[in-house]
Amino acid sequence: MSVQPPHVVVVGAGVAGLAAAGELRRHGAAVTVLEREPEPGGRVRTVELEGVPVNLGTQFVASFCTETVAALRAGGLGADLVPDRERSAVVAGGRAHRIDSPAALIAGGLLSVPSRLRLPGLALPLLAAWPRLDSSDLTAAAPFDRRPAIDLVRRWAGEEVACRAIGPIVRGLLYWDLETTSQGVLLTMLRAAASGASVFRVRGGMRRVAETLAGGLDVRLGTTVTGLAHGAGGRAAVTVADADGERVLECDGVVCATTAGPAAQLLADAPSETLGFLRSTSYSRTTIVVVRVPSGVPLPHTSLLFPTDTVRSLASVNPPRLDAGPGRARFVRISLSDEAHAAMAGLDGEGLTQAALALVREAGAGGEWTERATPAHALRWEEALPRFPAGRLRAEGMLRPDRIDYGRVALAGDYLRAPHVEGALLSGRAAAGRLLRVLRSVPTPPRPRPRPA
């Protein structure tokens, strides 16, 4: 008598969900992935404008994302991973000051002489923490998680370094502020930078990451999960709604790979510890405004960041870096800060674009390109990236994700590990492993056989 493989439903086709599904399938499970959006990827999202792919979420894969890079190469995407040294500058005093290397930061005119002399002081706490830091798992920095990052930078390098160098990088990459970021997270970021971490751009846009991870999986798009509970016989019941109406899918287990907010709404029968952890997870927000700039008009040469004490509205301005060859349309991506995201909630279209361009000019980064730019696209991210304030890395759900799993439901997402594709991918694989152990320890109930016609 043959034994049927367990059937697992994965809720969410972001990187975490796709990684979980791939791991489950590799271990013999039958897997169905449900995704409400019309395409997989979650925050790995790309829009095509006049034949040019423009990333609206994750911009690159960092070189320390070794498991992600290996998975993409195994999936046939290796030739389209283009190594690139991220170039960035902070706009201050009407000039763009390069900060993409310690030498540029120390030799440039962004910082005063006393601040340049104090900057190397950050090496002392970094070296002390170095052996325990892991870019792919922030919980390794839990011993250094008792104070906000702003305290660390002020103590070792001063206020100017915090506002003009470290703060702009954190906001530009993650839409966070140093006041609400754990110093353990900052130390992990500094270790990656000091290790010479570079990035891979993806030819054709970051959506190809999701497409590669989704290869061969049963991914059902346009399907909204409205409920998740334990059903009869110990199995799980997933309520779904799609073009055919609403129905309940029974399965042997579930990986919930949504962001924390929707997960808390779905898991109505979860223990209070699970719901408490999910509800305590917060996210940074941003609005992405994409503008089209005519050919021949000079563009910024680097990604532009802004001092956090004087420019509260902008996270970054990103010129095209790939897929924008001669004769193709050129698009610049303006990322608003959390604060500006909230202030511009009622704007869209031309009004939103003009407001964003006005902010760029007010910040001293304007030029002919801001005068001749036209609206191309905009997207509001209510949950851009999970926050990790002081104390978060020591939370029970991060240190022991199995403590917030319950029954035949495992949780996955970058909020459990680290706010990048590697964190999401490893979280998804780990959730699959935890669920498989549960399914192997509890006999799978027999499924009803179809009656003969």
Side-chain angles (χ1 to χ4, degrees), residues 17-370:
L18 295 173
E23 187 74 1
L24 289 162
R25 185 183 64 172
R26 191 170 70 86
H27 284 84
V31 186
T32 303
V33 183
L34 306 178
E35 171 57 52
R36 68 180 178 182
E37 298 294 334
E39 59 185 32
R43 293 194 296 272
V44 176
R45 187 174 300 187
T46 304
V47 64
E48 188 137 328
L49 303 174
E50 299 181 43
V52 177
V54 178
N55 295 319
L56 298 176
T58 306
Q59 295 292 297
F60 52 76
V61 179
S63 58
F64 59 73
C65 298
T66 53
E67 291 295 318
T68 304
V69 171
L72 297 179
R73 285 176 172 158
L77 199 60
D80 292 315
L81 297 178
V82 182
D84 184 23
R85 175 65 65 175
E86 179 73 4
R87 297 183 296 277
S88 56
V90 170
V91 177
R95 291 182 52 204
H97 304 269
R98 294 283 293 271
I99 61 165
D100 41 42
S101 71
L105 188 54
I106 293 173
L110 177 65
L111 301 175
S112 65
V113 172
S115 291
R116 284 184 244 175
L117 293 174
R118 291 193 67 184
L119 183 62
L122 284 172
L124 295 175
L126 176 59
L127 289 173
W130 188 285
R132 304 186 69 169
L133 303 176
D134 182 353
S135 296
S136 66
D137 186 0
L138 290 180
T139 61
F144 316 104
D145 183 39
R146 299 186 181 279
R147 299 180 69 85
I150 189 69
D151 292 353
L152 178 79
V153 183
R154 282 172 174 163
R155 177 183 177 186
W156 296 100
E159 185 73 18
E160 188 179 44
V161 171
C163 295
R164 288 197 159 204
I166 308 299
I169 294 172
V170 171
R171 181 183 287 176
L173 286 175
L174 304 165
Y175 315 111
W176 300 342
D177 292 312
L178 292 178
E179 292 83 354
T180 54
T181 300
S182 165
Q183 68 177 13
V185 176
L186 179 61
L187 287 168
T188 304
M189 294 176 67
L190 292 174
R191 186 188 192 280
S195 300
S198 57
V199 303
F200 291 98
R201 308 282 175 181
V202 181
R203 189 174 286 111
M206 286 293 294
R207 64 185 174 194
R208 299 191 64 204
V209 171
E211 292 168 355
T212 300
L213 295 176
L217 295 173
D218 178 13
V219 181
R220 302 181 186 181
L221 303 172
T223 303
T224 301
V225 175
T226 59
L228 198 164
H230 285 85
R235 304 185 75 199
V238 181
T239 305
V240 302
D242 57 18
D244 297 324
E246 188 173 81
R247 63 191 184 282
V248 175
L249 298 178
E250 286 198 355
C251 57
D252 299 307
V254 176
V255 174
C256 187
T258 67
T259 52
Q265 295 175 7
L266 287 175
L267 307 180
D269 66 344
S272 59
E273 294 82 4
T274 300
L275 292 175
F277 176 81
L278 293 172
R279 290 167 179 164
S280 69
T281 303
S282 64
Y283 287 79
S284 58
R285 304 171 298 174
T286 186
T287 297
I288 307 297
V289 178
V290 182
V291 297
R292 188 187 193 283
V293 180
S295 60
V297 176
L299 294 177
H301 297 296
T302 66
S303 294
L304 301 180
L305 310 175
F306 303 90
T308 56
D309 58 339
T310 57
V311 180
R312 304 291 301 174
S313 54
L314 294 171
S316 64
V317 173
N318 302 101
R321 300 292 293 271
L322 195 63
D323 298 308
R328 306 190 77 181
R330 302 183 307 160
F331 299 95
V332 175
R333 181 180 181 269
I334 303 170
S335 302
L336 302 184
S337 68
D338 191 305
E339 185 176 306
H341 168 90
M344 295 191 182
L347 297 178
D348 57 17
E350 179 74 25
L352 177 59
T353 299
Q354 293 307 319
L357 290 170
L359 292 175
V360 174
R361 288 191 286 269
E362 290 169 10
E368 185 182 359
W369 74 270
T370 61

